[in-house]
Each structure stands twice: as structure tokens, then as C-alpha cells.
Amino acid sequence: MQYSYEHVCSLPFSELETLLKQGIKPKIENLIHHEFRGYNTPKPMEYLGIRKFIKGFFPHEGTGTWCEGYNISAKQTGLDNVWEYKTLAKRFGYYHVVDPQSPDDKYLNSLLFNYAASENNPVYDPSRAIKDYLTQIYPDNHDIFLGKAYLALGPLRIFVSYFILERLFKTN
């Protein structure tokens, strides 16, 4: 049984963790040149103005084996409304998409988004401390993904949020 995007966004953390552990590693070609609507599941993200967001992916120059990604702020209009860029929204919070390796090998069935690796983030950017895992929760559905975000402080990993992505549209 496959759940809709909206249903996955409403699942309790215990069920999201089960889906994350049972998921499969996404193929990079299913991410590149696309933007995805994103939804952070913890309620406090709403008060921080970051519950809804947009993630995009593009090829890394010089290789086709992995890619890079970015975030764009979205209007916080609720789960049932259209995802729209905030006025004057720009790309930020860049990350490299890689295979998880120690000390970030908690979910080997996932891709790892390493914000510290991107040269597009300034040295002082707090997003550099983020590590995200992304898994494809349904083997035959390349449009819905589940992620889990952590803050990486030295060897310490602090859970921040589960997030769900669904394909919005193809980019150039």
C-alpha cells in the first residue's frame, strides 16, 4: 500500500522511522534537474517559518556519478495549499549528495546530503552543520522521498526533523 504525500506528512515519527529504514537508496538520475516540494514534519518548524520548503538538484561539474542540491524558501501557506517561492527567494543551503560514510553511516539505504562539503555555503553559514539522509520509500515511485535531518556537531548527531519530498517539476 502506498500513502499519498499528504498522508506521509502526517505520520507519527515511529512510522516515519520504519519507512526510512525500509526504504531504498534513490537513484541520482531521479533527482537531478528536478525541484521537490518539501515539508518538515515537526510542528515547531511552522513557528520558525521553515515547515514548507523547496529542494532542487543539479549535476556536479565534471562528474555524472553524484550531484549537488539547494534549498529555496517557500511561502508558509499550509500543507493543503500550493508550494510557491517566497518573494525574492533565492537558492541557499547547498549540499553535496553522496553515499553515507562513517561517521554518517546511520542509514546505508539512503543518500547523504552533506552541507559542509559545498563550496557554495559561506564558512560562517550555520547550514554547514546539517546532514540529511534521503530514502525512496516506495520502490516503484520515484516521486516521493523521506528524509531525516541532523545537526552535526563534531562527532555528535542531533535529530532535527523528518521531511518529505515530492517532485514538483523539471528544471533546466
Side-chain angles (χ1 to χ4, degrees):
M1 172 182 206
Q2 290 192 14
Y3 297 123
S4 69
Y5 178 80
E6 291 78 7
H7 184 79
V8 176
C9 290
S10 70
L11 291 173
F13 286 1
S14 61
E15 289 185 46
L16 292 172
E17 186 67 22
T18 298
L19 285 174
L20 187 71
K21 288 179 179 177
Q22 293 174 349
I24 62 171
K25 187 178 292 189
K27 293 182 179 174
I28 296 212
E29 58 266 23
N30 291 326
L31 301 174
I32 291 177
H33 299 300
H34 288 91
E35 286 190 343
F36 295 78
R37 65 177 175 157
Y39 190 78
N40 282 308
T41 61
K43 182 80 169 155
M45 298 300 186
E46 185 175 313
Y47 306 117
L48 296 172
I50 57 173
R51 195 149 200 200
K52 288 176 71 170
F53 59 92
I54 296 167
K55 279 194 184 297
F57 299 87
F58 59 96
H60 180 71
E61 290 184 29
T63 179
T65 60
W66 57 287
C67 68
E68 292 185 69
Y70 56 86
N71 290 279
I72 298 177
S73 296
K75 292 181 180 178
Q76 303 299 302
T77 55
L79 181 59
D80 295 332
N81 295 308
V82 173
W83 259 247
E84 296 179 276
Y85 298 129
K86 277 189 176 175
T87 306
L88 303 176
K90 62 178 186 165
R91 294 178 178 182
F92 69 96
Y94 289 85
Y95 47 86
H96 286 188
V97 180
V98 297
D99 282 326
Q101 296 179 355
S102 183
D104 298 305
D105 58 356
K106 186 170 178 71
Y107 300 98
L108 294 175
N109 62 324
S110 299
L111 292 172
L112 179 71
F113 299 171
N114 185 350
Y115 289 72
S118 178
E119 58 282 350
N120 291 312
N121 295 328
V123 174
Y124 56 84
D125 186 341
S127 73
R128 294 178 68 82
I130 299 172
K131 304 277 183 163
D132 290 343
Y133 296 92
L134 188 76
T135 189
Q136 182 177 321
I137 54 179
Y138 305 119
D140 59 343
N141 185 335
H142 303 118
D143 293 327
I144 298 178
F145 301 90
L146 173 61
K148 189 172 184 182
Y150 288 88
L151 281 180
L153 305 173
L156 187 63
R157 299 298 181 261
I158 302 167
F159 168 73
V160 174
S161 174
Y162 288 99
F163 62 91
I164 295 82
L165 299 181
E166 183 177 50
R167 189 177 317 275
L168 273 173
F169 53 81
K170 190 167 184 163
T171 61
N172 294 342

PDB file of all heavy atoms in Angstrom, residues 100-133:
ATOM      1  N   PRO A 100      26.441   7.580   2.204  1.00  0.00           N
ATOM      2  CA  PRO A 100      26.818   7.742   3.615  1.00  0.00           C
ATOM      3  C   PRO A 100      28.097   6.971   3.940  1.00  0.00           C
ATOM      4  O   PRO A 100      28.280   5.841   3.497  1.00  0.00           O
ATOM      5  CB  PRO A 100      25.646   7.145   4.376  1.00  0.00           C
ATOM      6  CG  PRO A 100      24.531   7.046   3.415  1.00  0.00           C
ATOM      7  CD  PRO A 100      25.150   6.932   2.053  1.00  0.00           C
ATOM      8  N   GLN A 101      28.990   7.629   4.674  1.00  0.00           N
ATOM      9  CA  GLN A 101      30.216   7.001   5.157  1.00  0.00           C
ATOM     10  C   GLN A 101      30.429   7.439   6.590  1.00  0.00           C
ATOM     11  O   GLN A 101      29.898   8.456   7.018  1.00  0.00           O
ATOM     12  CB  GLN A 101      31.411   7.413   4.294  1.00  0.00           C
ATOM     13  CG  GLN A 101      31.297   6.933   2.865  1.00  0.00           C
ATOM     14  CD  GLN A 101      32.474   7.353   2.012  1.00  0.00           C
ATOM     15  OE1 GLN A 101      33.350   8.090   2.451  1.00  0.00           O
ATOM     16  NE2 GLN A 101      32.496   6.897   0.779  1.00  0.00           N
ATOM     17  N   SER A 102      31.209   6.684   7.323  1.00  0.00           N
ATOM     18  CA  SER A 102      31.474   6.978   8.725  1.00  0.00           C
ATOM     19  C   SER A 102      31.996   8.408   8.871  1.00  0.00           C
ATOM     20  O   SER A 102      32.793   8.853   8.047  1.00  0.00           O
ATOM     21  CB  SER A 102      32.509   5.988   9.261  1.00  0.00           C
ATOM     22  OG  SER A 102      32.725   6.206  10.621  1.00  0.00           O
ATOM     23  N   PRO A 103      31.507   9.178   9.836  1.00  0.00           N
ATOM     24  CA  PRO A 103      30.622   8.815  10.932  1.00  0.00           C
ATOM     25  C   PRO A 103      29.134   8.968  10.586  1.00  0.00           C
ATOM     26  O   PRO A 103      28.291   8.844  11.464  1.00  0.00           O
ATOM     27  CB  PRO A 103      30.998   9.813  12.024  1.00  0.00           C
ATOM     28  CG  PRO A 103      31.348  11.049  11.266  1.00  0.00           C
ATOM     29  CD  PRO A 103      32.014  10.555   9.995  1.00  0.00           C
ATOM     30  N   ASP A 104      28.824   9.215   9.321  1.00  0.00           N
ATOM     31  CA  ASP A 104      27.434   9.449   8.912  1.00  0.00           C
ATOM     32  C   ASP A 104      26.867   8.262   8.147  1.00  0.00           C
ATOM     33  O   ASP A 104      26.265   8.407   7.091  1.00  0.00           O
ATOM     34  CB  ASP A 104      27.362  10.724   8.061  1.00  0.00           C
ATOM     35  CG  ASP A 104      27.784  11.931   8.844  1.00  0.00           C
ATOM     36  OD1 ASP A 104      27.199  12.177   9.913  1.00  0.00           O
ATOM     37  OD2 ASP A 104      28.725  12.623   8.410  1.00  0.00           O
ATOM     38  N   ASP A 105      27.040   7.075   8.703  1.00  0.00           N
ATOM     39  CA  ASP A 105      26.593   5.862   8.024  1.00  0.00           C
ATOM     40  C   ASP A 105      25.416   5.203   8.741  1.00  0.00           C
ATOM     41  O   ASP A 105      25.258   3.992   8.720  1.00  0.00           O
ATOM     42  CB  ASP A 105      27.750   4.877   7.849  1.00  0.00           C
ATOM     43  CG  ASP A 105      28.395   4.487   9.174  1.00  0.00           C
ATOM     44  OD1 ASP A 105      28.004   5.031  10.231  1.00  0.00           O
ATOM     45  OD2 ASP A 105      29.306   3.645   9.147  1.00  0.00           O
ATOM     46  N   LYS A 106      24.563   6.010   9.342  1.00  0.00           N
ATOM     47  CA  LYS A 106      23.419   5.511  10.106  1.00  0.00           C
ATOM     48  C   LYS A 106      22.381   4.819   9.214  1.00  0.00           C
ATOM     49  O   LYS A 106      21.763   3.851   9.617  1.00  0.00           O
ATOM     50  CB  LYS A 106      22.783   6.666  10.874  1.00  0.00           C
ATOM     51  CG  LYS A 106      21.682   6.259  11.818  1.00  0.00           C
ATOM     52  CD  LYS A 106      21.275   7.420  12.705  1.00  0.00           C
ATOM     53  CE  LYS A 106      20.155   7.097  13.630  1.00  0.00           C
ATOM     54  NZ  LYS A 106      20.505   6.203  14.717  1.00  0.00           N
ATOM     55  N   TYR A 107      22.166   5.345   7.999  1.00  0.00           N
ATOM     56  CA  TYR A 107      21.175   4.791   7.075  1.00  0.00           C
ATOM     57  C   TYR A 107      21.863   4.508   5.738  1.00  0.00           C
ATOM     58  O   TYR A 107      21.895   5.353   4.847  1.00  0.00           O
ATOM     59  CB  TYR A 107      20.014   5.770   6.878  1.00  0.00           C
ATOM     60  CG  TYR A 107      19.283   6.103   8.155  1.00  0.00           C
ATOM     61  CD1 TYR A 107      19.570   7.273   8.849  1.00  0.00           C
ATOM     62  CD2 TYR A 107      18.314   5.247   8.668  1.00  0.00           C
ATOM     63  CE1 TYR A 107      18.910   7.590  10.029  1.00  0.00           C
ATOM     64  CE2 TYR A 107      17.649   5.552   9.850  1.00  0.00           C
ATOM     65  CZ  TYR A 107      17.953   6.715  10.524  1.00  0.00           C
ATOM     66  OH  TYR A 107      17.304   7.012  11.692  1.00  0.00           O
ATOM     67  N   LEU A 108      22.395   3.306   5.588  1.00  0.00           N
ATOM     68  CA  LEU A 108      23.137   2.960   4.375  1.00  0.00           C
ATOM     69  C   LEU A 108      22.229   2.772   3.166  1.00  0.00           C
ATOM     70  O   LEU A 108      22.705   2.719   2.041  1.00  0.00           O
ATOM     71  CB  LEU A 108      23.988   1.710   4.610  1.00  0.00           C
ATOM     72  CG  LEU A 108      25.126   1.909   5.625  1.00  0.00           C
ATOM     73  CD1 LEU A 108      25.840   0.584   5.883  1.00  0.00           C
ATOM     74  CD2 LEU A 108      26.095   2.974   5.148  1.00  0.00           C
ATOM     75  N   ASN A 109      20.916   2.693   3.396  1.00  0.00           N
ATOM     76  CA  ASN A 109      19.948   2.586   2.306  1.00  0.00           C
ATOM     77  C   ASN A 109      19.515   3.966   1.816  1.00  0.00           C
ATOM     78  O   ASN A 109      18.530   4.093   1.097  1.00  0.00           O
ATOM     79  CB  ASN A 109      18.722   1.796   2.769  1.00  0.00           C
ATOM     80  CG  ASN A 109      17.993   2.480   3.919  1.00  0.00           C
ATOM     81  OD1 ASN A 109      18.617   3.086   4.791  1.00  0.00           O
ATOM     82  ND2 ASN A 109      16.679   2.394   3.932  1.00  0.00           N
ATOM     83  N   SER A 110      20.252   4.996   2.202  1.00  0.00           N
ATOM     84  CA  SER A 110      19.911   6.383   1.875  1.00  0.00           C
ATOM     85  C   SER A 110      21.057   7.075   1.156  1.00  0.00           C
ATOM     86  O   SER A 110      22.179   6.582   1.134  1.00  0.00           O
ATOM     87  CB  SER A 110      19.629   7.164   3.170  1.00  0.00           C
ATOM     88  OG  SER A 110      18.557   6.606   3.870  1.00  0.00           O
ATOM     89  N   LEU A 111      20.745   8.237   0.609  1.00  0.00           N
ATOM     90  CA  LEU A 111      21.764   9.169   0.166  1.00  0.00           C
ATOM     91  C   LEU A 111      21.983  10.168   1.294  1.00  0.00           C
ATOM     92  O   LEU A 111      21.071  10.445   2.073  1.00  0.00           O
ATOM     93  CB  LEU A 111      21.309   9.918  -1.094  1.00  0.00           C
ATOM     94  CG  LEU A 111      21.172   9.080  -2.358  1.00  0.00           C
ATOM     95  CD1 LEU A 111      20.528   9.911  -3.469  1.00  0.00           C
ATOM     96  CD2 LEU A 111      22.533   8.557  -2.803  1.00  0.00           C
ATOM     97  N   LEU A 112      23.187  10.713   1.380  1.00  0.00           N
ATOM     98  CA  LEU A 112      23.512  11.704   2.400  1.00  0.00           C
ATOM     99  C   LEU A 112      23.683  13.062   1.740  1.00  0.00           C
ATOM    100  O   LEU A 112      24.377  13.184   0.731  1.00  0.00           O
ATOM    101  CB  LEU A 112      24.801  11.313   3.126  1.00  0.00           C
ATOM    102  CG  LEU A 112      25.275  12.291   4.206  1.00  0.00           C
ATOM    103  CD1 LEU A 112      24.349  12.240   5.419  1.00  0.00           C
ATOM    104  CD2 LEU A 112      26.705  11.981   4.610  1.00  0.00           C
ATOM    105  N   PHE A 113      23.038  14.078   2.312  1.00  0.00           N
ATOM    106  CA  PHE A 113      23.224  15.458   1.868  1.00  0.00           C
ATOM    107  C   PHE A 113      24.203  16.102   2.845  1.00  0.00           C
ATOM    108  O   PHE A 113      23.880  16.300   4.011  1.00  0.00           O
ATOM    109  CB  PHE A 113      21.922  16.248   1.886  1.00  0.00           C
ATOM    110  CG  PHE A 113      20.828  15.711   0.993  1.00  0.00           C
ATOM    111  CD1 PHE A 113      19.563  16.252   1.076  1.00  0.00           C
ATOM    112  CD2 PHE A 113      21.040  14.688   0.089  1.00  0.00           C
ATOM    113  CE1 PHE A 113      18.533  15.795   0.264  1.00  0.00           C
ATOM    114  CE2 PHE A 113      20.020  14.213  -0.729  1.00  0.00           C
ATOM    115  CZ  PHE A 113      18.759  14.766  -0.631  1.00  0.00           C
ATOM    116  N   ASN A 114      25.390  16.413   2.363  1.00  0.00           N
ATOM    117  CA  ASN A 114      26.446  16.976   3.202  1.00  0.00           C
ATOM    118  C   ASN A 114      26.581  18.473   2.917  1.00  0.00           C
ATOM    119  O   ASN A 114      27.188  18.875   1.938  1.00  0.00           O
ATOM    120  CB  ASN A 114      27.760  16.249   2.939  1.00  0.00           C
ATOM    121  CG  ASN A 114      28.864  16.702   3.852  1.00  0.00           C
ATOM    122  OD1 ASN A 114      28.736  17.689   4.577  1.00  0.00           O
ATOM    123  ND2 ASN A 114      29.976  15.992   3.822  1.00  0.00           N
ATOM    124  N   TYR A 115      26.006  19.281   3.766  1.00  0.00           N
ATOM    125  CA  TYR A 115      26.013  20.738   3.600  1.00  0.00           C
ATOM    126  C   TYR A 115      27.404  21.320   3.814  1.00  0.00           C
ATOM    127  O   TYR A 115      27.742  22.356   3.248  1.00  0.00           O
ATOM    128  CB  TYR A 115      25.016  21.388   4.558  1.00  0.00           C
ATOM    129  CG  TYR A 115      23.568  21.159   4.210  1.00  0.00           C
ATOM    130  CD1 TYR A 115      22.969  19.914   4.374  1.00  0.00           C
ATOM    131  CD2 TYR A 115      22.783  22.190   3.708  1.00  0.00           C
ATOM    132  CE1 TYR A 115      21.636  19.704   4.065  1.00  0.00           C
ATOM    133  CE2 TYR A 115      21.439  21.989   3.393  1.00  0.00           C
ATOM    134  CZ  TYR A 115      20.880  20.743   3.576  1.00  0.00           C
ATOM    135  OH  TYR A 115      19.557  20.542   3.264  1.00  0.00           O
ATOM    136  N   ALA A 116      28.233  20.682   4.639  1.00  0.00           N
ATOM    137  CA  ALA A 116      29.583  21.186   4.913  1.00  0.00           C
ATOM    138  C   ALA A 116      30.490  21.053   3.696  1.00  0.00           C
ATOM    139  O   ALA A 116      31.457  21.794   3.559  1.00  0.00           O
ATOM    140  CB  ALA A 116      30.194  20.448   6.105  1.00  0.00           C
ATOM    141  N   ALA A 117      30.177  20.129   2.793  1.00  0.00           N
ATOM    142  CA  ALA A 117      31.035  19.869   1.637  1.00  0.00           C
ATOM    143  C   ALA A 117      30.870  20.892   0.519  1.00  0.00           C
ATOM    144  O   ALA A 117      31.740  21.016  -0.336  1.00  0.00           O
ATOM    145  CB  ALA A 117      30.761  18.472   1.094  1.00  0.00           C
ATOM    146  N   SER A 118      29.769  21.638   0.515  1.00  0.00           N
ATOM    147  CA  SER A 118      29.515  22.547  -0.603  1.00  0.00           C
ATOM    148  C   SER A 118      30.306  23.840  -0.462  1.00  0.00           C
ATOM    149  O   SER A 118      30.217  24.530   0.549  1.00  0.00           O
ATOM    150  CB  SER A 118      28.029  22.881  -0.712  1.00  0.00           C
ATOM    151  OG  SER A 118      27.835  23.790  -1.780  1.00  0.00           O
ATOM    152  N   GLU A 119      31.030  24.163  -1.510  1.00  0.00           N
ATOM    153  CA  GLU A 119      31.786  25.418  -1.563  1.00  0.00           C
ATOM    154  C   GLU A 119      30.856  26.618  -1.784  1.00  0.00           C
ATOM    155  O   GLU A 119      31.285  27.764  -1.682  1.00  0.00           O
ATOM    156  CB  GLU A 119      32.859  25.361  -2.643  1.00  0.00           C
ATOM    157  CG  GLU A 119      32.351  25.075  -4.041  1.00  0.00           C
ATOM    158  CD  GLU A 119      32.010  23.614  -4.329  1.00  0.00           C
ATOM    159  OE1 GLU A 119      32.325  22.719  -3.522  1.00  0.00           O
ATOM    160  OE2 GLU A 119      31.408  23.369  -5.384  1.00  0.00           O
ATOM    161  N   ASN A 120      29.574  26.361  -2.046  1.00  0.00           N
ATOM    162  CA  ASN A 120      28.605  27.451  -2.242  1.00  0.00           C
ATOM    163  C   ASN A 120      28.101  28.040  -0.925  1.00  0.00           C
ATOM    164  O   ASN A 120      27.458  29.087  -0.932  1.00  0.00           O
ATOM    165  CB  ASN A 120      27.408  26.955  -3.056  1.00  0.00           C
ATOM    166  CG  ASN A 120      27.788  26.653  -4.487  1.00  0.00           C
ATOM    167  OD1 ASN A 120      28.433  27.450  -5.145  1.00  0.00           O
ATOM    168  ND2 ASN A 120      27.406  25.483  -4.963  1.00  0.00           N
ATOM    169  N   ASN A 121      28.350  27.367   0.202  1.00  0.00           N
ATOM    170  CA  ASN A 121      27.943  27.884   1.504  1.00  0.00           C
ATOM    171  C   ASN A 121      29.117  28.623   2.140  1.00  0.00           C
ATOM    172  O   ASN A 121      30.210  28.062   2.252  1.00  0.00           O
ATOM    173  CB  ASN A 121      27.515  26.743   2.436  1.00  0.00           C
ATOM    174  CG  ASN A 121      26.285  26.036   1.943  1.00  0.00           C
ATOM    175  OD1 ASN A 121      25.418  26.642   1.328  1.00  0.00           O
ATOM    176  ND2 ASN A 121      26.205  24.738   2.202  1.00  0.00           N
ATOM    177  N   PRO A 122      28.903  29.863   2.576  1.00  0.00           N
ATOM    178  CA  PRO A 122      29.987  30.574   3.260  1.00  0.00           C
ATOM    179  C   PRO A 122      30.443  29.820   4.508  1.00  0.00           C
ATOM    180  O   PRO A 122      29.669  29.075   5.120  1.00  0.00           O
ATOM    181  CB  PRO A 122      29.350  31.913   3.656  1.00  0.00           C
ATOM    182  CG  PRO A 122      28.149  32.059   2.776  1.00  0.00           C
ATOM    183  CD  PRO A 122      27.691  30.666   2.464  1.00  0.00           C
ATOM    184  N   VAL A 123      31.673  30.015   4.901  1.00  0.00           N
ATOM    185  CA  VAL A 123      32.250  29.334   6.062  1.00  0.00           C
ATOM    186  C   VAL A 123      31.415  29.572   7.314  1.00  0.00           C
ATOM    187  O   VAL A 123      31.257  28.684   8.143  1.00  0.00           O
ATOM    188  CB  VAL A 123      33.706  29.800   6.277  1.00  0.00           C
ATOM    189  CG1 VAL A 123      34.283  29.216   7.554  1.00  0.00           C
ATOM    190  CG2 VAL A 123      34.560  29.426   5.088  1.00  0.00           C
ATOM    191  N   TYR A 124      30.839  30.748   7.461  1.00  0.00           N
ATOM    192  CA  TYR A 124      30.065  31.104   8.658  1.00  0.00           C
ATOM    193  C   TYR A 124      28.595  30.678   8.575  1.00  0.00           C
ATOM    194  O   TYR A 124      27.832  30.884   9.510  1.00  0.00           O
ATOM    195  CB  TYR A 124      30.132  32.612   8.898  1.00  0.00           C
ATOM    196  CG  TYR A 124      29.667  33.412   7.697  1.00  0.00           C
ATOM    197  CD1 TYR A 124      28.307  33.669   7.489  1.00  0.00           C
ATOM    198  CD2 TYR A 124      30.568  33.886   6.753  1.00  0.00           C
ATOM    199  CE1 TYR A 124      27.870  34.368   6.379  1.00  0.00           C
ATOM    200  CE2 TYR A 124      30.140  34.596   5.648  1.00  0.00           C
ATOM    201  CZ  TYR A 124      28.792  34.834   5.471  1.00  0.00           C
ATOM    202  OH  TYR A 124      28.368  35.525   4.364  1.00  0.00           O
ATOM    203  N   ASP A 125      28.167  30.047   7.477  1.00  0.00           N
ATOM    204  CA  ASP A 125      26.773  29.655   7.288  1.00  0.00           C
ATOM    205  C   ASP A 125      26.409  28.507   8.232  1.00  0.00           C
ATOM    206  O   ASP A 125      27.034  27.440   8.186  1.00  0.00           O
ATOM    207  CB  ASP A 125      26.570  29.231   5.834  1.00  0.00           C
ATOM    208  CG  ASP A 125      25.130  28.943   5.472  1.00  0.00           C
ATOM    209  OD1 ASP A 125      24.305  28.709   6.378  1.00  0.00           O
ATOM    210  OD2 ASP A 125      24.821  28.930   4.270  1.00  0.00           O
ATOM    211  N   PRO A 126      25.397  28.688   9.095  1.00  0.00           N
ATOM    212  CA  PRO A 126      25.031  27.613  10.031  1.00  0.00           C
ATOM    213  C   PRO A 126      24.507  26.354   9.343  1.00  0.00           C
ATOM    214  O   PRO A 126      24.525  25.276   9.935  1.00  0.00           O
ATOM    215  CB  PRO A 126      23.955  28.245  10.920  1.00  0.00           C
ATOM    216  CG  PRO A 126      23.505  29.472  10.227  1.00  0.00           C
ATOM    217  CD  PRO A 126      24.597  29.892   9.290  1.00  0.00           C
ATOM    218  N   SER A 127      24.061  26.461   8.093  1.00  0.00           N
ATOM    219  CA  SER A 127      23.577  25.258   7.400  1.00  0.00           C
ATOM    220  C   SER A 127      24.696  24.247   7.180  1.00  0.00           C
ATOM    221  O   SER A 127      24.420  23.063   6.952  1.00  0.00           O
ATOM    222  CB  SER A 127      22.912  25.615   6.071  1.00  0.00           C
ATOM    223  OG  SER A 127      23.860  25.998   5.106  1.00  0.00           O
ATOM    224  N   ARG A 128      25.941  24.667   7.282  1.00  0.00           N
ATOM    225  CA  ARG A 128      27.072  23.750   7.099  1.00  0.00           C
ATOM    226  C   ARG A 128      27.067  22.621   8.133  1.00  0.00           C
ATOM    227  O   ARG A 128      27.729  21.610   7.952  1.00  0.00           O
ATOM    228  CB  ARG A 128      28.390  24.510   7.135  1.00  0.00           C
ATOM    229  CG  ARG A 128      28.540  25.467   5.946  1.00  0.00           C
ATOM    230  CD  ARG A 128      29.832  26.261   6.014  1.00  0.00           C
ATOM    231  NE  ARG A 128      31.003  25.431   5.831  1.00  0.00           N
ATOM    232  CZ  ARG A 128      31.499  25.035   4.670  1.00  0.00           C
ATOM    233  NH1 ARG A 128      30.903  25.392   3.549  1.00  0.00           N
ATOM    234  NH2 ARG A 128      32.572  24.296   4.600  1.00  0.00           N
ATOM    235  N   ALA A 129      26.317  22.782   9.213  1.00  0.00           N
ATOM    236  CA  ALA A 129      26.254  21.758  10.259  1.00  0.00           C
ATOM    237  C   ALA A 129      25.164  20.714   9.992  1.00  0.00           C
ATOM    238  O   ALA A 129      24.991  19.791  10.779  1.00  0.00           O
ATOM    239  CB  ALA A 129      26.019  22.408  11.617  1.00  0.00           C
ATOM    240  N   ILE A 130      24.441  20.835   8.879  1.00  0.00           N
ATOM    241  CA  ILE A 130      23.325  19.915   8.598  1.00  0.00           C
ATOM    242  C   ILE A 130      23.805  18.692   7.813  1.00  0.00           C
ATOM    243  O   ILE A 130      24.610  18.804   6.890  1.00  0.00           O
ATOM    244  CB  ILE A 130      22.206  20.637   7.808  1.00  0.00           C
ATOM    245  CG1 ILE A 130      21.647  21.807   8.618  1.00  0.00           C
ATOM    246  CG2 ILE A 130      21.097  19.658   7.426  1.00  0.00           C
ATOM    247  CD1 ILE A 130      20.678  22.681   7.852  1.00  0.00           C
ATOM    248  N   LYS A 131      23.277  17.555   8.185  1.00  0.00           N
ATOM    249  CA  LYS A 131      23.450  16.295   7.445  1.00  0.00           C
ATOM    250  C   LYS A 131      22.052  15.706   7.295  1.00  0.00           C
ATOM    251  O   LYS A 131      21.345  15.499   8.276  1.00  0.00           O
ATOM    252  CB  LYS A 131      24.317  15.299   8.208  1.00  0.00           C
ATOM    253  CG  LYS A 131      25.684  15.794   8.602  1.00  0.00           C
ATOM    254  CD  LYS A 131      26.672  15.651   7.490  1.00  0.00           C
ATOM    255  CE  LYS A 131      28.037  16.101   7.999  1.00  0.00           C
ATOM    256  NZ  LYS A 131      29.114  15.651   7.186  1.00  0.00           N
ATOM    257  N   ASP A 132      21.639  15.478   6.058  1.00  0.00           N
ATOM    258  CA  ASP A 132      20.336  14.890   5.763  1.00  0.00           C
ATOM    259  C   ASP A 132      20.514  13.513   5.148  1.00  0.00           C
ATOM    260  O   ASP A 132      21.431  13.308   4.344  1.00  0.00           O
ATOM    261  CB  ASP A 132      19.568  15.718   4.719  1.00  0.00           C
ATOM    262  CG  ASP A 132      19.087  17.069   5.201  1.00  0.00           C
ATOM    263  OD1 ASP A 132      19.034  17.292   6.417  1.00  0.00           O
ATOM    264  OD2 ASP A 132      18.744  17.896   4.329  1.00  0.00           O
ATOM    265  N   TYR A 133      19.624  12.609   5.494  1.00  0.00           N
ATOM    266  CA  TYR A 133      19.534  11.310   4.830  1.00  0.00           C
ATOM    267  C   TYR A 133      18.261  11.313   3.995  1.00  0.00           C
ATOM    268  O   TYR A 133      17.238  11.833   4.427  1.00  0.00           O
ATOM    269  CB  TYR A 133      19.445  10.176   5.850  1.00  0.00           C
ATOM    270  CG  TYR A 133      20.673  10.049   6.718  1.00  0.00           C
ATOM    271  CD1 TYR A 133      20.750  10.716   7.931  1.00  0.00           C
ATOM    272  CD2 TYR A 133      21.745   9.266   6.317  1.00  0.00           C
ATOM    273  CE1 TYR A 133      21.879  10.606   8.726  1.00  0.00           C
ATOM    274  CE2 TYR A 133      22.874   9.149   7.108  1.00  0.00           C
ATOM    275  CZ  TYR A 133      22.940   9.820   8.315  1.00  0.00           C
ATOM    276  OH  TYR A 133      24.048   9.707   9.105  1.00  0.00           O
TER     277      TYR A 133
END
